[in-house]
Amino acid sequence: MPLNRDFVGRTYESSAPYEVSRVKISEFATAIGDSNPIYHDRRAAVAAGHPDVVAPPTFPIVFSLFGTGDALADPDLGLNFAMVVHGEQRFEYERPIHAGDELVCTSTVAEIRSVGRNEFLTLRSDVSTTSGELVCRTYNIIVERGGAA
Protein backbone atom coordinates (compact mmCIF):
# COMPACT_ATOMS: atom_id res chain seq x y z
CA MET A 1 0.00 0.00 0.00
CA PRO A 2 1.52 3.38 -0.93
CA LEU A 3 2.25 5.92 1.76
CA ASN A 4 -0.21 8.79 2.15
CA ARG A 5 1.02 11.57 -0.18
CA ASP A 6 -1.12 14.08 1.77
CA PHE A 7 1.73 14.15 4.31
CA VAL A 8 4.12 15.85 1.84
CA GLY A 9 4.70 19.41 3.01
CA ARG A 10 3.57 18.81 6.59
CA THR A 11 5.85 20.44 9.12
CA TYR A 12 6.59 19.39 12.70
CA GLU A 13 8.35 21.37 15.42
CA SER A 14 10.55 20.00 18.20
CA SER A 15 8.73 20.27 21.50
CA ALA A 16 11.66 21.82 23.40
CA PRO A 17 15.15 23.12 22.64
CA TYR A 18 17.98 20.58 22.62
CA GLU A 19 20.82 21.76 24.85
CA VAL A 20 24.19 20.75 23.41
CA SER A 21 26.76 19.98 26.09
CA ARG A 22 30.45 19.07 26.05
CA VAL A 23 29.59 15.74 27.66
CA LYS A 24 26.99 14.86 25.00
CA ILE A 25 29.42 15.77 22.21
CA SER A 26 32.26 13.78 23.77
CA GLU A 27 30.04 10.74 24.38
CA PHE A 28 28.80 10.82 20.79
CA ALA A 29 32.32 11.15 19.40
CA THR A 30 33.46 8.23 21.57
CA ALA A 31 30.48 6.14 20.42
CA ILE A 32 31.41 6.66 16.75
CA GLY A 33 35.10 6.02 17.47
CA ASP A 34 36.35 9.54 16.73
CA SER A 35 39.13 10.75 19.00
CA ASN A 36 39.59 14.17 17.33
CA PRO A 37 40.55 16.45 20.25
CA ILE A 38 38.18 19.26 19.15
CA TYR A 39 35.29 16.90 20.02
CA HIS A 40 36.60 16.16 23.51
CA ASP A 41 38.75 19.06 24.77
CA ARG A 42 37.67 22.70 24.98
CA ARG A 43 41.27 23.94 24.84
CA ALA A 44 41.90 22.03 21.60
CA ALA A 45 38.68 23.39 20.09
CA VAL A 46 39.52 26.98 21.07
CA ALA A 47 43.06 26.56 19.70
CA ALA A 48 41.47 25.46 16.41
CA GLY A 49 39.39 28.66 16.31
CA HIS A 50 36.10 27.48 17.79
CA PRO A 51 34.27 29.01 20.78
CA ASP A 52 33.92 25.61 22.49
CA VAL A 53 33.94 21.87 21.81
CA VAL A 54 32.68 21.08 18.29
CA ALA A 55 30.14 18.37 17.51
CA PRO A 56 31.03 15.74 14.89
CA PRO A 57 29.21 16.27 11.57
CA THR A 58 26.68 13.48 12.17
CA PHE A 59 25.77 14.67 15.70
CA PRO A 60 22.36 16.15 14.69
CA ILE A 61 21.02 12.61 14.22
CA VAL A 62 20.77 12.56 18.03
CA PHE A 63 17.89 15.06 18.03
CA SER A 64 16.85 15.95 14.46
CA LEU A 65 14.21 13.22 14.14
CA PHE A 66 12.35 14.15 17.33
CA GLY A 67 9.92 16.36 15.42
CA THR A 68 9.28 13.83 12.68
CA GLY A 69 8.32 11.11 15.14
CA ASP A 70 4.76 12.44 15.19
CA ALA A 71 4.50 12.07 11.41
CA LEU A 72 6.09 8.64 11.27
CA ALA A 73 3.89 7.30 14.07
CA ASP A 74 0.65 8.66 12.57
CA PRO A 75 -1.38 5.65 11.35
CA ASP A 76 -2.79 7.80 8.51
CA LEU A 77 0.69 7.91 6.93
CA GLY A 78 0.51 4.15 6.48
CA LEU A 79 4.15 3.40 7.31
CA ASN A 80 4.82 -0.26 8.13
CA PHE A 81 7.75 -0.08 10.58
CA ALA A 82 8.40 -3.83 10.17
CA MET A 83 9.43 -3.10 6.58
CA VAL A 84 11.47 0.08 7.19
CA VAL A 85 15.19 0.43 6.54
CA HIS A 86 17.37 3.52 6.64
CA GLY A 87 18.11 4.71 3.12
CA GLU A 88 20.29 7.79 3.41
CA GLN A 89 21.36 10.56 5.77
CA ARG A 90 23.10 13.79 4.85
CA PHE A 91 23.86 17.12 6.48
CA GLU A 92 24.35 20.62 5.05
CA TYR A 93 26.05 23.01 7.46
CA GLU A 94 25.94 26.78 7.81
CA ARG A 95 28.29 26.54 10.80
CA PRO A 96 29.50 23.85 13.22
CA ILE A 97 27.46 22.89 16.26
CA HIS A 98 29.22 23.85 19.50
CA ALA A 99 28.75 23.02 23.15
CA GLY A 100 26.40 25.61 24.59
CA ASP A 101 24.11 25.78 21.57
CA GLU A 102 20.39 25.49 22.22
CA LEU A 103 18.85 24.06 19.08
CA VAL A 104 15.36 23.53 17.74
CA CYS A 105 14.24 21.50 14.73
CA THR A 106 11.57 22.18 12.17
CA SER A 107 11.03 18.97 10.25
CA THR A 108 9.13 18.62 6.99
CA VAL A 109 7.97 15.62 5.01
CA ALA A 110 9.75 16.75 1.84
CA GLU A 111 8.91 13.90 -0.52
CA ILE A 112 7.22 10.53 -0.81
CA ARG A 113 7.92 8.53 -3.94
CA SER A 114 7.65 4.98 -5.20
CA VAL A 115 10.69 3.20 -6.59
CA GLY A 116 9.74 -0.23 -7.82
CA ARG A 117 7.92 -1.91 -4.94
CA ASN A 118 9.50 0.41 -2.35
CA GLU A 119 8.30 3.67 -0.84
CA PHE A 120 10.91 6.39 -0.20
CA LEU A 121 10.07 9.00 2.44
CA THR A 122 12.35 12.06 2.60
CA LEU A 123 12.40 14.10 5.80
CA ARG A 124 14.15 17.47 5.95
CA SER A 125 14.97 19.03 9.31
CA ASP A 126 16.11 22.62 9.68
CA VAL A 127 18.26 22.88 12.81
CA SER A 128 18.40 26.41 14.22
CA THR A 129 19.41 28.16 17.41
CA THR A 130 16.62 29.35 19.68
CA SER A 131 17.35 32.86 18.33
CA GLY A 132 16.59 31.70 14.77
CA GLU A 133 20.08 31.23 13.28
CA LEU A 134 20.07 28.30 10.82
CA VAL A 135 22.91 25.95 11.83
CA CYS A 136 22.33 23.00 9.52
CA ARG A 137 19.81 21.14 7.46
CA THR A 138 19.48 17.35 7.65
CA TYR A 139 17.98 14.99 5.11
CA ASN A 140 16.86 11.52 6.10
CA ILE A 141 15.48 9.01 3.62
CA ILE A 142 13.46 6.16 5.05
CA VAL A 143 12.63 3.20 2.81
CA GLU A 144 9.59 1.02 3.31
CA ARG A 145 10.44 -2.20 1.46
CA GLY A 146 7.74 -3.76 -0.69
CA GLY A 147 5.24 -1.00 0.06
CA ALA A 148 4.00 -0.23 -3.46
CA ALA A 149 2.62 -2.67 -5.97
Side-chain angles (χ1 to χ4, degrees):
M1 181 106 155
L3 296 177
N4 185 344
R5 269 47 177 185
D6 290 342
F7 275 70
V8 174
R10 291 189 187 181
T11 299
Y12 302 84
E13 304 284 333
S14 53
S15 58
Y18 181 84
E19 296 179 23
V20 180
S21 73
R22 290 181 193 137
V23 170
K24 289 176 184 175
I25 290 172
S26 181
E27 288 173 346
F28 183 83
T30 298
I32 63 171
D34 198 326
S35 60
N36 187 326
I38 67 170
Y39 303 151
H40 300 276
D41 179 13
R42 184 179 185 281
R43 286 186 303 257
V46 170
H50 300 283
D52 209 320
V53 172
V54 179
T58 56
F59 184 78
I61 195 63
V62 171
F63 57 87
S64 65
L65 292 179
F66 289 157
T68 58
D70 291 339
L72 298 179
D74 189 326
D76 289 338
L77 175 62
L79 186 64
N80 178 355
F81 280 100
M83 299 303 290
V84 168
V85 295
H86 187 258
E88 179 183 330
Q89 185 76 46
R90 67 185 166 93
F91 304 88
E92 296 174 353
Y93 275 87
E94 298 297 317
R95 70 155 175 88
I97 293 174
H98 300 107
D101 282 338
E102 290 189 16
L103 303 173
V104 293
C105 289
T106 302
S107 300
T108 302
V109 177
E111 180 183 46
I112 299 173
R113 61 189 169 95
S114 298
V115 178
R117 293 182 35 85
N118 301 312
E119 291 284 278
F120 283 60
L121 172 67
T122 303
L123 303 165
R124 186 192 77 225
S125 295
D126 295 335
V127 178
S128 304
T129 63
T130 52
S131 62
E133 175 193 9
L134 179 64
V135 175
C136 73
R137 187 166 280 137
T138 74
Y139 296 87
N140 183 17
I141 298 177
I142 295 171
V143 180
E144 181 188 64
R145 297 170 292 135

